[in-house]
Amino acid sequence: MTDAAQWQPEVVDAERLSTDERSLAEIGTGLFERLARDAGQADAGPLNLVRLPDGLGVAVVRAVRGGGTIFVAPDGSVLYLASAIDITTGLDVFRDGERTPLSRFD
């Protein structure tokens, strides 16, 4: 298990993700697109993909003001955190099992 304090997040292109990781990234991307649409925005803006350590899944980071991070686990469950929470702190919360109900994105 990787210590989140030592983990260094790295933005990767979707092509560098495995097929399973790309599917997880699509879940996070779709949720950000839904949030943007509900807020009356044309699109979610720039989204960065980060592979999480220890096979925990992927993080989709909305790199705009008021953005945030959606962590997506291999089972498709997610955790949304506002941009005020850095990704390494978010990883600890995600690893501890905190999740955001998908109904919150409806």
Side-chain angles (χ1 to χ4, degrees):
M1 201 181 259
T2 303
D3 180 5
Q6 296 176 349
W7 172 67
Q8 295 297 313
E10 176 187 350
V11 174
V12 297
D13 291 327
E15 298 80 39
R16 289 187 49 206
L17 297 174
S18 70
T19 302
D20 290 340
E21 289 170 330
R22 268 183 258 148
S23 295
L24 300 178
E26 288 174 10
I27 292 170
T29 299
L31 293 173
F32 268 128
E33 291 293 339
R34 190 180 308 176
L35 291 173
R37 183 183 63 242
D38 291 348
Q41 300 167 347
D43 61 34
L47 298 173
N48 295 320
L49 306 176
V50 176
R51 180 182 289 125
L52 300 176
D54 305 325
L56 291 173
V58 299
V60 180
V61 182
R62 187 172 186 210
V64 297
R65 181 183 164 135
T69 303
I70 296 177
F71 294 86
V72 186
D75 67 359
S77 64
V78 303
L79 173 66
Y80 171 80
L81 294 172
S83 61
I85 300 171
D86 68 83
I87 194 167
T88 55
T89 300
L91 177 61
D92 286 336
V93 173
F94 184 69
R95 188 183 303 247
D96 287 344
E98 291 293 323
R99 297 296 186 265
T100 303
L102 291 174
S103 61
R104 301 276 308 264
F105 296 92
D106 289 337

